[in-house]
Amino acid sequence: PIFRKENFTEFPLIATVKGADKQTHVTIQNNANRSVNSLLLFVKNTDASRTFNISGSDDGLQWFVIKENIHLESSLQKDDEAIIQALSFPASSYKYFQLTILGKDVLPFNILRAGIYTEDLSYGSYLELPAPIITQKDSSDKMSYINIDFDENYLINKIIIDAAGAKFFKR
C-alpha cells in the first residue's frame, strides 16, 4: 500500500515595496531549497484583478524573468476572509521569487502567506504470517483443490504463490 500525505511549506514574505518604477514588488524566499513550478498565494479576499511578472534571484539583487503577464482574475468569496490563488510557471530553483504587480501606482493584493504543497509518499510493508497447513486434493474433474489453514484468524491482503512444475503447464 502507498500512503500519501500533503504538507504545506510556507515561504517567508521578505518584502513588499513600491519600486522606483512605481510598481509593487513582493519578494518571497524559497526556503524549501528545491525546484518549484507553482506557488500558492493566500490573499485577503478581494474583488480585483491584477497582472504581474514573476522573476527569480539567488542573491536578492540580480533578478531574472521566469514568467510574464500572469493575470489573476477576481476570486471574490462572499463568506471567506481569504482566498487561495495558484500560480504556475516554469520550474525554478531560485532562492528568491519576486512578484511585480504591473501598473504604476496600482494597489497590490494583500498577500497573507505564500508557499507550496508537497506530497510525501510512504510505502507500507507486509508482515509474513506463520506457515500455514497446506492440503491439496486432486479430483476427477481435472481440478486441484488447495486448502490453506492457519492456527489463528488473520486479515490477509496479499498472497504470493510460488508454484513449481512443468514450464508450460496450465495453472
Side-chain angles (χ1 to χ4, degrees):
I2 299 174
F3 302 97
R4 299 176 194 279
K5 181 179 178 186
E6 285 188 351
N7 298 309
F8 179 74
T9 302
E10 188 163 346
F11 287 2
L13 297 170
I14 303 299
T16 301
V17 296
K18 187 170 281 198
D21 58 1
K22 299 197 178 211
Q23 298 183 94
T24 303
H25 303 274
V26 179
T27 305
I28 300 168
Q29 183 179 356
N30 175 4
N31 60 359
N33 296 322
R34 59 184 280 185
S35 180
V36 295
N37 61 1
S38 65
L39 276 176
L40 293 176
L41 302 178
F42 291 77
V43 178
K44 193 87 162 168
N45 200 355
T46 184
D47 189 13
S49 41
R50 296 284 184 268
T51 302
F52 57 92
N53 296 338
I54 186 166
S55 53
S57 173
D58 286 321
D59 59 9
L61 301 172
Q62 189 173 10
W63 295 93
F64 303 95
V65 68
I66 297 173
K67 188 171 181 180
E68 294 181 317
N69 298 315
I70 302 168
H71 191 74
L72 288 183
E73 290 292 329
S74 169
S75 297
L76 175 68
Q77 300 291 324
K78 293 187 184 235
D79 299 327
D80 294 330
E81 185 71 19
I83 56 176
I84 300 174
Q85 295 277 1
L87 306 178
S88 294
F89 49 86
S92 299
S93 59
Y94 288 113
K95 185 173 180 177
Y96 301 99
F97 294 108
Q98 188 172 80
L99 309 178
T100 302
I101 299 170
L102 302 177
K104 292 182 181 182
D105 295 321
V106 173
L107 291 174
F109 286 129
N110 184 1
I111 300 172
L112 304 171
R113 309 181 341 168
I116 58 171
Y117 271 113
T118 56
E119 184 176 72
D120 294 331
L121 300 178
S122 61
Y123 297 91
S125 59
Y126 293 100
L127 297 176
E128 189 171 336
L129 298 177
I133 298 170
I134 301 173
T135 57
Q136 179 176 339
K137 180 180 178 187
D138 295 326
S139 69
S140 59
D141 62 356
K142 296 185 180 184
M143 301 289 273
S144 294
Y145 296 94
I146 299 172
N147 197 26
I148 301 173
D149 290 315
F150 290 94
D151 291 339
E152 297 181 35
N153 293 329
Y154 294 102
L155 175 63
I156 298 176
N157 293 322
K158 183 177 182 181
I159 296 177
I160 298 174
I161 299 173
D162 186 12
K167 184 175 181 180
F168 298 106
F169 192 80
K170 182 177 178 183
R171 299 194 190 282

